[in-house]
Amino acid sequence: MEPVLAPDRASEQIDPTAFKAVLGRFCSGVTVITAIHEGEPVGFACQSFASLSIDPPLVSFFPARTSSTWPRIRAAGRFCVNILADDQSELCRQLGRPGADKFSGVEWTVSGNGSPLLGGAMATIDCTLHDEVDGGDHTIVIARVSGLNEHSEAAPLLFYRAAFGRLAHQ
Ligand SMILES: Cc1cc2nc3c(=O)[nH]c(=O)nc-3n(C[C@H](O)[C@H](O)[C@H](O)COP(=O)(O)O)c2cc1C
């Protein structure tokens, strides 16, 4: 297979389509990050989530600069990372597109820090905002973990090459 990109190209010559095609080969799970803002649930689907540090306990994720939801979660200052199970692709789609009715029909309860805990999530991580760093057209959020919950032994929802998937042996 021909290489999509020469390794010595300057970053300004990187074609965004090639960038997405190549980086899309990095398979991940999917989360929905939720908070309460002015009494209403807010949230967005987020693939760019990672464990960052055990001591202190930190996680990280990358909201787009264009996100209308992240500023509201930032204002809340505390939020919940919901790790989705493999039967939650529709929920992920609903919370992965802009719109005022993202939580329409969504079952949720309240997590330990008062954020929406989505029904069916396999695990949840309560966090507070620790730091925010420039990440180009995204922002790098560093969050301090304040609570951890395992909810089920369900298999994870996967995201790979712009499509949902599940573990082959499940
Ligand atoms: C599977 C999936 C993964 C996503 N991952 C991210 C992400 O890592 N960062 C991000 O900013 N948006 C991500 N999105 C898109 C946001 O969820 C979407 O842009 C957002 O919900 C738009 O609404 P907003 O303007 O209310 O934030 C993802 C969407 C889907 C469906």
Side-chain angles (χ1 to χ4, degrees), residues 43 63 95 114 137 166 170:
L95 283 141
D137 58 13
R166 51 181 63 189
Q170 296 294 319

Side-chain angles (χ1 to χ4, degrees), residues 30 43-48 62-64 66-70 72 92 95-98 102 138 159 164:
V30 193
F44 73 105
C46 185
Q47 175 202 17
S48 58
F62 313 145
T66 54
S67 171
S68 62
T69 301
W70 168 244
R72 288 181 279 167
C92 186
L95 283 141
R97 53 179 176 249
K102 278 182 160 184
H138 284 59
F159 197 66
F164 295 110

Side-chain angles (χ1 to χ4, degrees), residues 39-155:
E40 297 295 328
V42 294
F44 73 105
C46 185
Q47 175 202 17
S48 58
F49 170 78
S51 162
L52 178 62
S53 163
I54 296 176
D55 184 16
L58 302 173
V59 295
S60 182
F61 57 91
F62 313 145
R65 294 269 180 211
T66 54
S67 171
S68 62
T69 301
W70 168 244
R72 288 181 279 167
I73 298 177
R74 181 202 285 126
R78 57 190 177 167
F79 41 89
C80 182
V81 179
N82 296 260
I83 300 177
L84 299 189
D86 70 353
D87 61 353
Q88 295 187 296
S89 56
E90 274 313 310
L91 175 70
C92 186
R93 279 194 190 90
Q94 184 167 332
L95 283 141
R97 53 179 176 249
D101 58 348
K102 278 182 160 184
F103 275 77
S104 171
V106 173
E107 287 179 20
W108 59 278
T109 55
V110 178
S111 75
N113 75 2
S115 304
L117 192 162
L118 302 181
M122 55 191 293
T124 51
I125 305 159
D126 273 344
C127 302
T128 54
L129 182 58
H130 179 78
D131 201 0
E132 218 178 319
V133 182
D134 176 49
D137 58 13
H138 284 59
T139 182
I140 301 169
V141 175
I142 300 172
R144 182 157 190 136
V145 175
S146 57
L148 296 165
N149 283 291
E150 282 182 303
H151 300 290
S152 77
E153 294 297 326

